[in-house]
Amino acid sequence: MPAKNLTTNRAALGHRLRYALHHPERVPRHLARTARDLWLRRRHRDHVSYYRAVMRSDTRADPDAAVGSANRERWLALGAMQFDYLVGHGLRPEHRMLEIGCGNLRAGWRFIRHLEPGHYYGIDISPDILFAAQDTVVQMGLQDRLPTLTPVRDLSLAFLPDAHFDVVHAHSVFSHSPLPVIDQCLAHVGRVLTPGGWFDFTFDRTEREEHQVLREDFYYRTETLLALAEKHGLRARFMADWERLPHGQSKIRVSHPE
């Protein structure tokens, strides 16, 4: 995978024109996304409702593509990458895990298999992708692991118990979230974490102007997200070793102060 592009503003007109000239085969899909954005923006004023509608549209076409995988091979590879990294950084079978934005269990089915029965809890704003997640449970033969899959309206986590989860994981969630949604999650995730627990999340990183494209892709400076976590009394650190893996997003780990 090429090095991360940390300086380009993908929302700028000049970048979009240059991109279209260099990748003309991708223009029809971008125009279709733009038309969908205009239509959904008129019908859904808040971002969560908007992105739920995006996921409904994408999941009907292809659940694997809806979670950002071009094909099943890439779906498996990205899931394995997330799993291997988390196990290498402390995930144990006895841990209780909450996966925010679990999708169709691209990594989740591996977590379910690794954890003790009943220790995996997946949430997503999209009921449609959770139907696909149920299919993954069946395909992988994980029914006896008793995973919980729950749709949510927001990321307040209000229905979950205090100090219950050792590990919280959100892959490719904040990359599709405006700052108020991220702020809501960080304001509440500390309550559900055990004292020694941690929260790993990925994000699309930029070193220049923060921006978004079609309300689907959001780019943030590391400092912005570190400060946001610290505002809510959490300790946050950039996971530099994740950068060595073939993935376009970056990662931060959040925990309670020692």
Side-chain angles (χ1 to χ4, degrees), residues 127-141:
D128 299 86
I129 201 67
L130 288 177
F131 296 149
Q134 292 176 350
D135 293 338
T136 300
V137 170
V138 175
Q139 291 163 7
M140 300 301 180

Side-chain angles (χ1 to χ4, degrees), residues 13 43 102 170 181:
L13 179 60
R43 302 186 64 193
C102 65
V181 173

Side-chain angles (χ1 to χ4, degrees), residues 31-47:
L31 291 176
R33 283 183 63 194
T34 301
R36 182 178 70 178
D37 172 70
L38 292 172
W39 170 248
L40 294 180
R41 189 180 300 185
R42 293 173 61 89
R43 302 186 64 193
H44 304 281
R45 296 300 179 182
D46 70 285
H47 181 77

Side-chain angles (χ1 to χ4, degrees), residues 50-190:
Y50 167 85
Y51 203 73
R52 184 179 293 118
V54 169
M55 287 298 295
R56 181 182 303 118
S57 172
D58 286 347
T59 302
R60 287 173 178 172
D62 182 352
D64 290 354
V67 299
S69 300
N71 50 54
R72 177 51 57 133
E73 181 181 5
R74 186 61 177 159
W75 185 86
L76 290 167
L78 286 174
M81 186 189 307
Q82 295 172 57
F83 175 78
D84 291 343
Y85 185 87
L86 215 53
V87 169
H89 286 72
L91 179 67
R92 301 193 304 271
E94 66 270 22
H95 281 153
R96 287 185 170 88
M97 179 179 185
L98 170 67
E99 186 164 30
I100 298 172
C102 65
N104 66 338
L105 302 180
R106 177 170 59 181
W109 73 268
R110 298 177 188 271
F111 295 136
I112 293 167
R113 186 180 61 182
H114 176 72
L115 297 169
E116 294 178 4
H119 280 215
Y120 177 89
Y121 203 113
I123 63 175
D124 206 288
I125 64 167
S126 169
D128 299 86
I129 201 67
L130 288 177
F131 296 149
Q134 292 176 350
D135 293 338
T136 300
V137 170
V138 175
Q139 291 163 7
M140 300 301 180
L142 298 169
Q143 296 93 326
D144 61 346
R145 310 303 291 177
L146 298 175
T148 299
L149 303 171
T150 302
V152 294
R153 290 187 295 265
D154 54 39
L155 297 186
S156 67
L157 312 177
F159 67 101
L160 296 172
D162 292 355
H164 184 75
F165 295 103
D166 303 289
V167 178
V168 179
H169 183 248
H171 183 91
S172 197
V173 174
F174 289 176
S175 54
H176 302 299
S177 301
L179 215 53
V181 173
I182 299 174
D183 184 63
Q184 181 188 55
C185 183
L186 291 173
H188 297 283
V189 72

